[in-house]
Amino acid sequence: MDIRIIDAAAVTAAVKKLFMDCNYFIGSDIMCALETALHTESAPVAQSVLSQIIENDRIAAAEQIPLCQDTGMAVLFVEYGDKTAIDGCFEDAVQQGVREAYEEGYLRKSVVSDPVFDRVNTRDNTPAVIHTRIVPGDKIRITAGGKGFGSENMSAIKMLTPAYGEEGVKRFILDTVRAAGPNPCPPIVVGVGIGGTFERAAQLAKKATFRPIDTENPDPRYAAMERELLEEINQMGFGPAGLGGKTTALGVNIETFPTHIAGMPVAVNICCHAARHASTEI
Amino acid sequence: MTKRITLPITDEDIKSLKTGDSVLLTGTIITGRDAAHKRLYELLQQGKELPVDLRGEIIYYVGPAPAKPGYVVGPAGPTSSYRMDKYTPALLDLGMKGMIGKGARSQEVIDAIVRNKAVYFAAIGGAAALIAKSIKKEELLCYEDLGTEAVRRYTVEDFPCIVAVDSEGNNVYRRG
């Protein structure tokens, strides 16, 4: 069997580039949605906020500076080909890439060492949260993003039971978005994970925020739910920056997984308009 | 219509500001967020003097990204204000005149704004690169060990924000 050897330095370089790129360059899906929203809004305040966000994102890209000061906690989804081996330690190589991106890329270091007692800044934004799946093949595919906590703090998970059905799922998602209100930097991207177990639902919700918003769930029933939820959220009136308007969300992405006969977990991961993610293949 | 305010803000300025007004601030503001608020609040609880005089000042809830060479500050947008709600009434009662942040505040904060004839401004969350253009100078005041959360004085020119809670307690976020 042929095994492809990948240099740990190549992993570090790829991870470093992903985090710098995603913090400087907003995705074209988000930029298009912001420009569409600018034409949809009629209130002067909503228009003004959207124009400033668009201008901000253009400045960040042109000057290669972070578009938001909260450059986030680093999250990576890794698909690790089973025909590859790393010349070194994969985990260390990833953390080194994060360290170099945040230090050399003028990104904010926002991670503290201990959540309750010490809360001392680690000063290099490590450790990153790494979700790894082993897949067939000889490549490593990485999707990464810096997750800001203004919106992360507004996220929620609930262990619904099967009797709640489609309506119960939608109600929980809408209640979570309504409770978040003006706080998570609307217009937001709503990532939803349904099914699996407690932790799988949460992981799917995060993965959903990393999916471009100009895509839809391949199952037409969930794609319809995405569209319906987006419409209902945009009737809530929070609007850009929470100052009122028709654009509270830019997109709703749902990801699902089979689940237990007794359960229907639903996780809602809210992401701000600075929905930063990038992908690469090694 | 956009109102231009020169800092320090006066009681007349505050009285003239109404919720929803677009405002451009010029002068100096003081930065502070979670960790600095916790320290200041604990000093007040112990009856000790604060390392920074907040009377008459406006505090900006921000933890900037590092400045690239040639820049005064890195991107510096507002952080969510509600996390400071526990500490804000005590600082307003001390004589602080306003806050700049983003998102809704607690009823206790709104009551303290009315009681002290103060004002709460919202800046646009996620417009950090744009907002940084209005920051012309920065000076460290205290808590350097907090890094991005240290307390600094910013000299700003035409810093853009919106009146979110005015001195009569009208709240821009009351909807949904």
Side-chain angles (χ1 to χ4, degrees), chain A residues 9 63 105 117 156-157 235 240 252 278 280:
Chain A
E63 301 184 16
F117 298 106
I157 188 163
Q235 284 167 8
V252 177
T280 194

Side-chain angles (χ1 to χ4, degrees), chain B residues 75-91:
Chain B
T79 197
S80 300
S81 304
Y82 73 92
R83 294 194 314 271
M84 269 53 77
D85 283 356
K86 177 181 169 187
Y87 313 117
T88 299
L91 298 179

Side-chain angles (χ1 to χ4, degrees), chain A residues 41 62 143 246 259:
Chain A
E41 292 287 358
T143 298
K246 299 170 189 162
T259 192

Side-chain angles (χ1 to χ4, degrees), chain B residues 11 14-15 96-97 112-119 167-168:
Chain B
D11 289 343
I14 289 176
K15 210 174 166 187
M96 186 174 81
K97 293 311 283 183
I113 288 170
V114 173
R115 178 165 75 239
N116 292 290
K117 295 283 166 240
V119 59
S167 57
E168 291 173 2

